[in-house]
Amino acid sequence: MLRWVVAFVLAGLISQTAYAQSKKADPATSASAAGPEIPLPPIPPMPAIDKPAPTAAARESLAGRLAQLATLKVRDPLATVDLRFLTKDVDASLVPALASRLEELKGRLDGKRAGRLLRDARSHGRRAIRKRDREAKKAAKKTSDDDGEGDWLVFILALKDTSDHKTHLAQLYAMQRMLEAIGETTAVRVMVSSYGAFGELVRIDVQRALARLKDKAVPALLEAKQHDARKVRRWASRQLDTLGRA
């Protein structure tokens, strides 16, 4: 009796092993059990960002604004200067002309010389602010300067330097102001590119502008996280974090 039981168990084990081997050897059976293979559609590439050429009207408008900027005579870094002509009636049609002019300026501006001029301008401006605040404190008056930083473009215009570097630096800051006034994603892209091109010359000014633009700056900053330059990618991430959009 015991021999019959052992024989029955062995026969069952042999049949199960043979069935498993036949399933493994038959790929058609396995494929049919898993269902038909459905190919996934290819992932479409991201569309390229168009960079339209500036129109003649936009070039003329920008040239006129920069020419008017060059006529200003400013002696006091805290002077009230009417700069509304820079941003009056600006719109997205001016962005290609601004991008083109900034690219030209990159080749003309000496970074070290411009950096020294900017430091001088900020130093003179800060001294003027401290002096004004001391006098206002004595007179128990409030100053009109809300953020305590002053207008850096006016600081630059008030420099006694008469070189082309001062002119180019003033134009650089004036064009950042125009881009902020436009405020669309196309304009913010150019502001981000300005940081990549001019670095510390514009970093603080651009950051202050992005803080004022708030959510309008987010799309271009998200794009900048994929920028070719590592410093721009890291900088864009920090700006998104500052805006609460990391």
Side-chain angles (χ1 to χ4, degrees):
M1 182 67 178
L2 180 60
R3 285 183 295 178
W4 284 105
V5 172
V6 172
F8 179 77
V9 171
L10 289 173
L13 291 173
I14 292 170
S15 64
Q16 289 180 5
T17 303
Y19 176 75
Q21 289 177 347
S22 67
K23 293 289 287 181
K24 184 177 180 180
D26 187 0
T29 303
S30 301
S32 62
E37 184 178 350
I38 301 175
L40 294 175
I43 298 176
M46 292 184 67
I49 297 174
D50 293 332
K51 294 183 178 179
T55 63
R59 285 186 179 276
E60 184 178 350
S61 175
L62 177 58
R65 296 170 199 266
L66 295 180
Q68 187 172 348
L69 180 71
T71 65
L72 296 178
K73 304 298 182 184
V74 182
R75 292 180 175 81
D76 182 357
L78 299 185
T80 301
V81 183
D82 188 359
L83 296 171
R84 289 176 294 179
F85 65 90
L86 290 174
T87 56
K88 183 180 179 181
D89 299 328
V90 293
D91 56 33
S93 66
L94 195 62
V95 172
L98 287 163
S100 177
R101 176 59 185 163
L102 285 167
E103 188 65 28
E104 294 173 7
L105 202 58
K106 181 182 175 182
R108 297 181 182 181
L109 195 63
D110 183 320
K112 291 183 179 180
R113 178 75 180 275
R116 287 195 294 270
L117 283 175
L118 181 60
R119 286 192 296 272
D120 289 345
R122 292 172 60 186
S123 178
H124 294 161
R126 286 170 178 169
R127 284 201 297 270
I129 289 175
R130 288 195 294 268
K131 180 180 178 181
R132 180 202 60 191
D133 289 348
R134 285 195 301 269
E135 293 174 351
K137 187 176 181 180
K138 290 178 181 179
K141 293 180 180 179
K142 291 184 178 181
T143 65
S144 59
D145 191 37
D146 296 330
D147 59 8
E149 293 288 342
D151 189 328
W152 289 10
L153 177 52
V154 176
F155 289 179
I156 294 167
L157 293 173
L159 285 173
K160 295 180 179 180
D161 190 289
T162 57
S163 68
D164 289 341
H165 288 86
K166 173 190 169 181
T167 300
H168 293 157
L169 186 62
Q171 290 180 355
L172 176 60
Y173 270 70
M175 287 189 282
Q176 299 304 318
R177 185 163 301 195
M178 296 180 210
L179 290 166
E180 181 187 352
I182 295 168
E184 297 185 11
T185 299
T186 54
V188 181
R189 282 190 192 124
V190 179
M191 295 173 73
V192 171
S193 297
S194 295
Y195 167 68
F198 299 99
E200 292 300 307
L201 273 179
V202 297
R203 180 180 61 83
I204 296 177
D205 191 63
V206 170
Q207 287 174 182
R208 290 165 67 181
L210 295 177
R212 289 189 291 266
L213 288 172
K214 299 180 181 178
D215 284 351
K216 290 182 179 180
V218 171
L221 287 172
L222 288 172
E223 291 174 356
K225 290 180 70 176
Q226 307 300 322
H227 198 277
D228 293 339
R230 183 184 179 189
K231 76 167 188 176
V232 176
R233 295 195 300 268
R234 296 176 65 179
W235 175 79
S237 295
R238 289 195 299 270
Q239 303 320 303
L240 286 166
D241 188 37
T242 300
L243 293 170
R245 296 291 184 269

